[in-house]
Amino acid sequence: MNILQAQAFFDGASATLSGAKVVHSRKKLKELPGVFADSGAFARMDPETVVYEVDAHQEGEAQEGGLLFGISHVHPGKVGDEFFMTKGHYHALRNRAEYYWGLGGEGLLLLMQEDRSVRVERVCPGSLHYIPGNVAHRLVNTGLETLHVGACWPSDAGHDYQAITDAGFPARVVEKDGRAVVI
Ligand code: F6R
Ligand code: ZN
């Protein structure tokens, strides 16, 4: 019997994912209007600035019981005093859960229930985060290096960004006196 090569390779030291079925995407500042509080600072920044990137291994079509594996790379930076972060989302199929784990850099994970109550977990190399269904999630890079975070989630979960676009998260992470604080 033939022994096959793996479909993809994950290098934990450099937090990189490679392989034919790995899809890379980038989110630039110009794709995040209204996400950061300081619209004046946002308007003064280069709209081509890459805020975060995602590598995702997609094996087959989205289906019940399927899984996706990815790495999010949130670059260091701020808009005004607010740290770079992901757009944040609920899963379109609301009851789908997800695991995140810290691979490099430092940051925070904002977790919001549908009643808008928020929990914040510190993300660092080795940290493991269980995101239950019905919980919106957003990564914030509070450090000076890129924040690398692994993720595994159901392939039929989908993304619902609308609820976040409409009402945002009730908590923001800003730099105050050289420290990251949640306000
Ligand atoms: C998948 C997931 C991550 C995020 C990624 C980018 O369910 O949670 O792969 O998609 O961190 O964040 P968003 O999707 O909020 O732009
Ligand atoms: Zn998700």
Side-chain angles (χ1 to χ4, degrees), residues 52 54 72 86-89 91 98 100 137 139 151 153 159 161:
Y52 59 95
V54 179
S72 301
T86 60
K87 203 168 176 180
H89 60 271
H91 290 150
E98 181 163 6
Y100 275 7
H137 36 292
L139 284 168
W153 68 101
H159 296 84
Y161 295 105

Side-chain angles (χ1 to χ4, degrees), residues 18-104:
S18 57
K21 293 180 178 172
V22 174
V23 177
H24 179 256
S25 63
R26 293 192 302 185
K27 199 68 82 181
K28 295 181 176 180
L29 211 48
K30 67 182 181 189
E31 297 167 275
L32 300 169
V35 168
F36 297 93
D38 188 341
S39 52
F42 180 85
R44 287 189 295 276
M45 290 177 71
D46 180 355
E48 298 298 326
T49 305
V50 176
V51 178
Y52 59 95
E53 303 177 59
V54 179
D55 294 304
H57 180 249
Q58 287 180 288
E59 178 65 58
E61 297 299 310
Q63 59 179 300
E64 188 176 347
L67 289 172
L68 296 174
F69 180 95
I71 305 178
S72 301
H73 314 273
V74 186
H75 294 296
K78 285 177 294 177
V79 177
D81 60 3
E82 190 173 15
F83 291 102
F84 277 8
M85 58 188 174
T86 60
K87 203 168 176 180
H89 60 271
Y90 288 100
H91 290 150
L93 288 184
R94 281 291 205 278
N95 69 357
R96 298 308 196 247
E98 181 163 6
Y99 270 112
Y100 275 7
W101 59 96
L103 292 166

